[in-house]
Each structure stands twice: as structure tokens, then as C-alpha cells.
């Protein structure tokens, strides 16, 4: 899954703030994440790179978790609290929920949604995203247990379809296959 532009921007701001030349920057990416370009990073790798930048002295601007929160949140009821909790869990800004609102309902902002069914659908979409992220985290953890950085390095999984990181059925099947591989490794 491509990184959000905001995360890529933050990585490049850190590079500039630290006065890091291109060679040193690419060496850091290779050392921390095994890539030569920030565009190749997944979310976990980007987090590790940002953590390393902070260790080196990068001072990110504090972000406001409530930035973009609907001004009429109280009128929208407890569903907004659920949406806020989901966004917080995934460390996503309200702009993400607004983008879903535009995509799903052609309504510019969550604050402008009027029907309970729309808010319920938005909650369901956020739940799907949470599940994808949790499954991908499980895949990454199981790969680490097996001593590989990606499931394509394992026999029988070399031909995963493009975009597998965003497909719940494939992620669920991978978690099952990787769990079986971990169990088999432990038995041996």
C-alpha cells in the first residue's frame, strides 16, 4: 500500500531539518528499511525511519488529534465518538474520514452527513481498514518469526497477486498459512 503523501512529506522534512545529503539519506533508508527510496516504504518501515530521524534530532511538529473533527460532533451523536476512536486507533486524521465521506457519499465532510445509515457505513468502512491493518501486522510478525521480510520469500507464496496487502481474503489466508508454517517450524 502506498504511503500517504503526508508521511512521505514528513520523511522529507526530517531529511531537510537534519541537513542530510542525498547519499546519507538513502544510506539511512537502506539501513533502517532495506529500501533506497521513501516511496518503497510500507507504513511500518516509514514509522521506523521516522523514529530513527527523531533519534537523530528531528523535531516533528506536534499534531492535533482533533484537527478536522466535525464542529457539530455533539449533534451527530455517539457514532462520531466511534469514528474518532477508530481514527485514533489507526493514527489517522479526520481528513481520512472526510475523504471516505467524499468517496462513499459524494459529501465533502463527515460533519455534513445527516443520515445515521451514512455514519454506520463509514464506521463499517473504517472497521474494514482496521482489520486489513491488523491482518497485515500479523503477516509481518509471522514473517519475522519465520526469518523472512515478506511472505513472497517463502516456498509456495512466491506468486502473491499484486495488491495483496490490501485484500482481506488474501491476508486472512496468509495469516493461516504463516501460522501453519510457524507451527511446523516449532515442531521440527
Amino acid at each position: 500500500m502506498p504511503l500517504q503523501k503526508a508521511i512521505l512529506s514528513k520523511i522529507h522534512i526530517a531529511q531537510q531539518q537534519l541537513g542530510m545529503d542525498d547519499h546519507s539519506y538513502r544510506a539511512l533508508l537502506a539501513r533502517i528499511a532495506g529500501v533506497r527510496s521513501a516511496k518503497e516504504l510500507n507504513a511500518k518501515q516509514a514509522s521506523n525511519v521516522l523514529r530513527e530521524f527523531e533519534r537523530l534530532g528531528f523535531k516533528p511538529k506536534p499534531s492535533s488529534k482533533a484537527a478536522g473533527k466535525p464542529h457539530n460532533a455533539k449533534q451527530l451523536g455517539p457514532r462520531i465518538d466511534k469514528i474518532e476512536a477508530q481514527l485514533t486507533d489507526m493514527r489517522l486524521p479526520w481528513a481520512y474520514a472526510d475523504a471516505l465521506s467524499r468517496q462513499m457519499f459524494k459529501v465533502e465532510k463527515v460533519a455534513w452527513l445527516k443520515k445515521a445509515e451514512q455514519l454506520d457505513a463509514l464506521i463499517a468502512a473504517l472497521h474494514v481498514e482496521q482489520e486489513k491493518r491488523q491482518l497485515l501486522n500479523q503477516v509481518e510478525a509471522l514473517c519475522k518469526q519465520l526469518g523472512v521480510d515478506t511472505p513472497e520469500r517463502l516456498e509456495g507464496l512466491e506468486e502473491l497477486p499484486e495488491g495483496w496487502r490490501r485484500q482481506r481474503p488474501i491476508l486472512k489466508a496468509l495469516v493461516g498459512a504463516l501460522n501453519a508454517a510457524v507451527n511446523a517450524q516449532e515442531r521440527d
Side-chain angles (χ1 to χ4, degrees), residues 74-92:
K74 286 189 168 104
Q75 290 90 344
L76 293 173
R79 288 178 175 91
I80 286 296
D81 295 333
K82 174 67 175 173
I83 292 169
E84 183 174 34
Q86 289 174 303
L87 291 171
T88 300
D89 177 63
M90 293 184 281
R91 294 186 175 103
L92 293 171

Side-chain angles (χ1 to χ4, degrees), residues 12-101:
H12 291 115
I13 289 167
Q15 175 194 3
Q16 291 171 351
Q17 192 183 99
L18 294 172
M20 192 175 281
D21 63 55
D22 192 60
H23 177 74
S24 301
Y25 167 71
R26 293 194 187 285
L28 181 138
L29 290 177
R31 178 172 53 85
I32 300 299
V35 300
R36 296 290 298 162
S37 168
K39 290 181 181 177
E40 299 173 35
L41 295 169
N42 63 33
K44 185 174 183 177
Q45 291 169 322
S47 175
N48 291 340
V49 167
L50 286 169
R51 201 171 310 120
E52 177 65 6
F53 278 137
E54 288 177 20
R55 189 187 71 76
L56 294 171
F58 170 55
K59 303 280 190 233
K61 289 182 182 176
S63 63
S64 169
K65 288 281 185 193
K69 184 174 180 178
H71 62 282
N72 59 343
K74 286 189 168 104
Q75 290 90 344
L76 293 173
R79 288 178 175 91
I80 286 296
D81 295 333
K82 174 67 175 173
I83 292 169
E84 183 174 34
Q86 289 174 303
L87 291 171
T88 300
D89 177 63
M90 293 184 281
R91 294 186 175 103
L92 293 171
W94 275 97
Y96 186 88
D98 288 338
L100 281 177
S101 177

Side-chain angles (χ1 to χ4, degrees), residues 68-72 76 80 83 86-87 92-126 129:
K69 184 174 180 178
H71 62 282
N72 59 343
L76 293 173
I80 286 296
I83 292 169
Q86 289 174 303
L87 291 171
L92 293 171
W94 275 97
Y96 186 88
D98 288 338
L100 281 177
S101 177
R102 279 190 298 281
Q103 181 182 13
M104 294 170 68
F105 311 111
K106 310 293 185 247
V107 175
E108 198 63 26
K109 302 252 182 213
V110 173
W112 300 346
L113 296 176
K114 300 297 177 205
K115 298 177 183 170
E117 302 82 47
Q118 291 173 317
L119 294 170
D120 289 340
L122 187 60
I123 289 168
L126 288 168
E129 181 61 26

